[in-house]
Amino acid sequence: LAKTTQPISMDSYEGQEVNITCSHNNIATNDYITWYQQFPSQGPRFIIQGYKTKVTNEVASLFIPADRKSSTLSLPRVSLSDTAVYYCPLEKGNTGKLIFGQGTTLQVKP
Amino acid sequence: DAGITQSPRHKVTETGTPVTLRCHQTENHRYMYWYRQDPGHGLRLIHYSYGVKDTDKGEVSDGYSVSRSKTEDFLLTLESATSSQTSVYFCAISKADGQPQHFGDGTRLSIL
């Protein structure tokens, strides 16, 4: 099963924009790209989902190039509370199955 | 937060004993999932259900069985627990495939 690859960790400062890239070279035609956030001792929380081009909601933007082999989660003006692990699992089309990689630990500093 | 309750939240047991974890939802969602999370592995799908009595295997299903006799309950059973099954177990629900999954707060299981 195709898994995703992300940087293990990233540091940022409050108020900055953070971009986290995810690689999914073996993405299938009917796979969706999703992003989740996880705090310690909690379950993951859905952030955003997309199939192609750009998707934006109240907390983030998701950029997906035409070949869909990668995606970028953009968090505008991060705060200390955005310190968490971010995952970009692929959702296997028509099954609901999520295939997770190791995630990116984002540390936001004051 | 989505109405998902996992029980127990913590459990310590011995190798060879049977263990059952329960996931209860109040959202009437069709899909339910069981994942395990270990250091360095992210989350891995164990089993999932797409309706009452309809279940299928995930990527790490060996040693686990599931049952779903009611929409609201999804049970994960370790018939004979082994130390390699020490992990944090998360339940998730979704309305349908393609919809976001909502996760419970997890069950921390230690097998000695």
Side-chain angles (χ1 to χ4, degrees):
Chain A
L1 292 173
K3 290 195 175 184
T4 56
T5 304
Q6 307 170 231
I8 297 295
S9 63
M10 294 181 67
D11 289 338
S12 183
Y13 290 94
E14 282 191 292
Q16 289 187 333
E17 177 185 72
V18 171
N19 296 309
I20 307 174
T21 299
C22 179
S23 173
H24 26 82
N25 290 320
N26 296 319
I27 189 169
T29 302
N30 56 354
D31 289 346
Y32 282 80
I33 299 156
T34 58
W35 284 82
Y36 285 78
Q37 175 191 56
Q38 187 178 27
F39 298 111
S41 301
Q42 294 184 22
R45 185 174 68 178
F46 173 81
I47 301 173
I48 198 166
Q49 180 185 63
Y51 184 80
K52 61 181 179 179
T53 64
K54 177 183 175 181
V55 179
T56 298
N57 62 21
E58 63 276 8
V59 297
S61 294
L62 177 60
F63 299 91
I64 306 169
D67 66 5
R68 301 198 335 118
K69 294 184 182 298
S70 66
S71 59
T72 299
L73 174 72
S74 181
L75 304 172
R77 298 180 298 280
V78 294
S79 65
L80 296 176
S81 63
D82 291 316
T83 293
V85 180
Y86 292 82
Y87 294 97
C88 58
L90 294 182
E91 177 164 349
K92 305 308 292 182
N94 302 319
T95 69
K97 294 182 183 180
L98 292 178
I99 309 300
F100 284 82
Q102 292 190 351
T104 296
T105 298
L106 173 65
Q107 179 71 51
V108 180
K109 303 175 182 179
Chain B
D1 288 344
I4 308 170
T5 303
Q6 292 187 231
S7 59
R9 292 296 314 280
H10 303 272
K11 187 174 181 66
V12 180
T13 190
E14 295 182 347
T15 300
T17 60
V19 177
T20 295
L21 307 183
R22 180 185 184 228
C23 179
H24 178 78
Q25 60 141 331
T26 58
E27 305 296 321
N28 201 36
H29 283 1
R30 178 182 173 189
Y31 284 70
M32 298 185 76
Y33 310 83
W34 277 108
Y35 295 87
R36 61 178 288 175
Q37 185 170 34
D38 305 293
H41 284 277
L43 283 86
R44 292 181 290 177
L45 181 65
I46 305 171
H47 281 280
Y48 71 106
S49 170
Y50 46 95
V52 174
K53 291 185 170 45
D54 292 323
T55 65
D56 203 352
K57 296 179 179 180
E59 60 179 314
V60 290
S61 60
D62 287 348
Y64 301 95
S65 63
V66 291
S67 65
R68 190 164 178 206
S69 59
K70 298 184 291 185
T71 298
E72 57 267 33
D73 289 325
F74 193 32
L75 304 181
L76 177 70
T77 297
L78 292 65
E79 299 291 347
S80 178
T82 68
S83 58
S84 65
Q85 294 175 311
T86 292
S87 188
V88 180
Y89 291 85
F90 288 101
C91 173
I93 65 174
S94 69
K95 287 183 181 179
D97 61 84
Q99 295 295 308
Q101 292 186 20
H102 302 281
F103 286 77
D105 288 331
T107 294
R108 186 172 296 275
L109 178 63
S110 296
I111 301 165
L112 307 178

